[in-house]
Amino acid sequence: MSRSAHPAGPRHADVLPEGHYSAPATDLNVLDEKVWSRTVTRDADGALTVGGIEVARLAQEFGTPAYFLDEADFRARCRAWSDAFGADADVFYAGKAFLSRAVVRWLTEEGLNLDVCSGGELTTALDAGMPAERIAFHGNNKTVAEIERAVEAGVGRIVLDSFQEIVRVAHIAQRLGTRQRVQIRVTVGVEAHTHEFIATAHEDQKFGIALAGGQAAEAVRRALTLDGLELVGIHSHIGSQIFDMAGFEVSARRVVQLLAEIRDEHGVELPEIDLGGGLGIAYTSDDDPREPHEIAKALGDIVTRECESAGLRTPRISVEPGRAIVGPTAFTLYEVGTIKPLEGLRTYVSVDGGMSDNIRTALYDAEYSVALVSRTSDAEPMLVRVVGKHCESGDIVVKDAFLPSDLAPGDLIAVPATGAYCRSMASNYNHALRPPVVAVRDGEARVIVRRETEEDLLRLDVG
Ligand code: LLP
């Protein structure tokens, strides 16, 4: 297996705009294992295989564009997270990253819990057999109907996001003759970005209730008086694609401080804290994500230490990784179409998908890698921008990358680390048909979300 490339200087330095992208691998045929799922390798002919199946065969059978999800890797990552956090903590997979009934079954089998944030995600989870008590229900604007369904189903917790919702959930639970387990989501004053965190402007957003100004303490006061609610903990989620644990540490410290204040004021020690998701993954060779056991240790240590100094019993910790579980487990396979060299700039490589199957580049300026996967090539690298087929110049999949200069229409290229927030944020822009998700494992491939058809489009368009 040829993996683990290390970036070196570009060979075509004369045509590169100045340094806002990763340098290419010296040998473009060598795959960097950081960004590919675990069963990805190259076979003797140079074609990429996943789960033991060649991409050319996958393309033939399932078409392109398509997402291929490495089931063994997904399951291994679930186990790594639950082993790292152990029996005294809970891992909730964040379904917004990617959810399907097959995924729910894998999660159920691997012992994970599930965070959902809409009625649709809740339905998918329940339909595929996730026990309701293992589901956490999130959202800043849950509808009354959604809350009713969640309470009736008996979800393990509802994460309350506003003062109005505290009352709303309490009334609904009381009307349904039950007491709903709830957490309160607080904003801790840490706004995390990719590599750093800044402590400004944090109250200026739609989620949660601010610790600042005593608002969270007031929310706790109200929740504790309402019969329909069983307040079990405090929740905090600080952002996305975070590598630095410092933001989580500040967040954990502030949540524990709130627990201590609650104990002092009400004589109640809340038994749970949830520190949210947001752990980063490698999209390119430059990214260095933490392993689950490092994250578990860092979070466990800080919570234990803070609780000891506050004289509190250590609460049960939970986390909600989405991207860190599913992100690295899938790649998107595209067929190369038009290739347009722009003299002195770069070569535009058009593929048969685009912003409809990966909006992250356009939306967040996200960086991705790309590789020629239907064959190897010894041609010189060329600087490319991989673009889609949509009527929009911002329709970019990979902003700056290198591909072999003998790339030709009909070649297959793949973008790794597209398991999270690609299919789940896919659209029908330009009436594109959303691609299928194909699970690959031990030499077998099966569609878990089928490709949309033109019939699907017309069915919604009722004339
Ligand atoms: N828990 C809560 C309360 C969240 O809001 C989120 C993500 C997660 C967990 C999972 O975060 P993860 O571990 O997957 O980073 N669409 C964006 C990310 C938005 C995430 C929103 N909430 C993206 O493509 O990067």
Side-chain angles (χ1 to χ4, degrees):
M1 186 164 85
S2 54
R3 295 176 40 143
S4 83
H6 294 285
R11 285 191 224 168
H12 282 181
D14 52 324
V15 296
L16 307 182
E18 272 171 45
H20 51 80
Y21 54 87
S22 319
T26 5
D27 182 351
L28 295 181
N29 300 313
V30 178
L31 302 174
D32 181 353
E33 65 182 7
K34 265 204 295 191
V35 299
W36 293 91
S37 71
R38 284 176 209 186
T39 75
V40 164
T41 183
R42 281 201 188 268
D43 69 11
D45 299 332
L48 185 136
T49 71
V50 57
I53 311 182
E54 260 197 30
V55 285
R57 217 186 95 196
L58 292 172
Q60 204 171 25
E61 192 172 339
F62 302 102
T64 56
Y67 307 97
F68 292 97
L69 203 168
D70 188 336
E71 181 182 339
D73 193 15
F74 184 96
R75 288 178 180 271
R77 286 176 195 276
C78 290
R79 286 194 292 274
W81 276 88
S82 74
D83 290 351
F85 278 85
D88 298 331
D90 296 301
V91 180
F92 284 75
Y93 170 76
K96 66 207 82 181
F98 173 65
L99 198 66
S100 77
R101 287 186 285 191
V103 161
V104 172
R105 281 192 290 273
W106 303 340
L107 294 167
T108 310
E109 286 164 16
E110 301 300 342
L112 262 65
N113 307 285
L114 179 62
D115 140 13
V116 299
C117 67
S118 70
E121 288 183 359
L122 179 61
T123 299
T124 306
L126 293 172
D127 185 80
M130 173 62 73
E133 63 273 16
R134 281 163 61 182
I135 298 175
F137 191 32
H138 274 277
N140 67 301
N141 188 23
K142 306 170 192 79
T143 65
V144 167
E146 285 173 327
I147 296 168
E148 281 170 352
R149 192 134 53 90
V151 173
E152 268 168 351
V155 299
R157 67 168 81 137
I158 293 181
V159 182
L160 302 174
D161 204 85
S162 66
F163 282 99
Q164 288 183 344
E165 199 174 73
I166 292 172
V167 178
R168 204 174 284 147
V169 173
H171 282 165
I172 291 171
Q174 221 176 357
R175 178 155 48 76
L176 294 172
T178 182
R179 232 177 142 218
Q180 177 62 48
R181 295 178 88 258
V182 295
Q183 293 188 342
I184 292 176
R185 177 165 173 175
V186 301
T187 43
V188 292
V190 176
E191 193 185 320
H193 291 290
T194 310
H195 294 287
E196 82 257 26
F197 67 95
I198 52 170
T200 56
H202 49 275
E203 277 98 36
D204 195 0
Q205 50 126 337
K206 69 173 183 169
F207 291 111
I209 300 175
L211 278 179
Q215 292 200 57
E218 176 58 22
V220 168
R221 232 166 263 138
R222 294 191 196 175
L224 285 173
T225 61
L226 294 167
D227 287 341
L229 305 181
E230 180 189 354
L231 179 63
V232 292
I234 300 296
H235 183 286
S236 156
H237 170 78
I238 58 170
S240 297
Q241 186 58 4
I242 304 162
F243 294 108
D244 189 348
M245 294 305 291
F248 286 101
E249 293 195 6
V250 175
S251 162
R253 200 170 304 132
R254 294 188 183 164
V255 168
V256 172
Q257 273 166 15
L258 178 62
L259 293 188
E261 285 166 31
I262 295 168
R263 187 252 341 255
D264 295 344
E265 184 178 339
H266 306 281
V268 176
E269 287 195 33
L270 296 184
E272 296 176 4
I273 67 173
D274 188 305
L275 296 172
L279 288 316
I281 63 164
Y283 285 105
T284 75
S285 300
D286 293 341
D287 295 329
D288 272 314
R290 300 286 193 102
E291 291 296 324
H293 65 87
E294 293 175 89
I295 295 162
K297 182 163 179 354
L299 295 181
D301 285 353
I302 180 85
V303 173
T304 308
R305 199 167 58 236
E306 293 298 316
C307 285
E308 267 167 21
S309 79
L312 285 166
R313 275 191 300 276
T314 306
R316 192 171 177 86
I317 300 174
S318 53
V319 284
E320 298 170 335
R323 180 192 330 262
I325 292 178
V326 73
T329 68
F331 61 82
T332 314
L333 189 64
Y334 300 104
E335 185 180 301
V336 173
T338 302
I339 298 176
K340 196 180 280 185
L342 297 188
E343 193 60 39
L345 289 171
R346 73 188 85 239
T347 296
Y348 278 76
V349 174
S350 298
V351 294
D352 47 357
M355 65 195 301
S356 53
D357 58 71
N358 187 348
I359 190 65
R360 298 194 66 261
T361 309
L363 197 56
Y364 312 117
D365 219 7
E367 291 194 10
Y368 282 92
S369 334
V370 62
L372 169 62
V373 293
S374 44
R375 61 184 173 91
T376 49
S377 164
D378 292 327
E380 284 284 293
M382 62 173 173
L383 178 65
V384 299
R385 178 159 290 174
V386 179
V387 296
K389 66 195 289 321
H390 295 282
C391 294
E392 184 120 11
S393 54
D395 173 25
I396 298 168
V397 180
V398 186
K399 211 160 136 204
D400 293 301
F402 286 81
L403 284 171
S405 49
D406 64 350
L407 193 76
D411 276 332
L412 296 175
I413 61 175
V415 174
T418 58
Y421 305 110
C422 286
R423 181 58 180 78
S424 68
M425 294 174 80
S427 77
N428 288 119
Y429 184 40
N430 297 148
H431 283 199
L433 304 171
R434 286 180 295 175
V437 182
V438 180
V440 188
R441 181 185 174 186
D442 299 334
E444 279 180 29
R446 88 190 154 92
V447 175
I448 59 171
V449 178
R450 74 159 166 80
R451 185 184 299 284
E452 261 175 345
T453 61
E454 290 186 347
E455 264 173 35
D456 291 327
L457 289 181
L458 294 180
R459 199 172 303 142
L460 295 178
D461 180 341
V462 292

